[in-house]
Amino acid sequence: MSKNSNMKFLYAGIAIALLLSILAPFLASSDPDGLESAAGGVIEESKMSELEETEPAVSSPMPDYAIEGMGKSGEVMAIAIGTVAVLAISFGFGKIFNKKA
């Protein structure tokens, strides 16, 4: 692959990732995910609610994939910010650990 086609592939991947981050809040199910439903079958309801009320060891900057008080647009922004952050971190690591001179 040439460098030009690699860049086109990269930009297409970034565009697809951002499109998915925009659509995700509207397509996601409000039902509990597999881990929550499996835990619900193993752990008693009282113990489960007790676990949900405990404070996390490290607080999340955007809990539940949302920005508080913004509704669906806050969810879109939180996921888009997270997507861009992961892409930027990955790009940075790629530059740092690039073995070519």
Side-chain angles (χ1 to χ4, degrees):
M1 283 185 133
S2 70
K3 184 171 177 133
N4 191 22
S5 65
N6 282 341
M7 292 307 291
K8 286 181 183 178
F9 186 72
L10 175 69
Y11 293 143
I14 291 171
I16 290 169
L18 289 174
L19 179 65
L20 287 173
S21 71
I22 291 168
L23 294 177
F26 303 103
L27 300 175
S29 172
S30 60
D31 295 333
D33 63 10
L35 182 60
E36 287 178 4
S37 58
V42 176
I43 300 173
E44 298 173 11
E45 185 66 36
S46 61
K47 186 76 170 170
M48 186 74 126
S49 61
E50 183 182 314
L51 287 171
E52 288 176 351
E53 292 175 5
T54 59
E55 289 293 318
V58 177
S59 64
S60 171
M62 292 179 268
D64 293 329
Y65 304 104
I67 298 173
E68 239 178 275
M70 292 183 66
K72 285 287 185 193
S73 62
E75 291 178 26
V76 169
M77 288 297 298
I79 296 172
I81 290 168
T83 301
V84 170
V86 168
L87 289 171
I89 291 167
S90 301
F91 182 76
F93 277 135
K95 287 291 188 186
I96 291 170
F97 296 112
N98 187 3
K99 292 185 180 184
K100 292 180 183 178

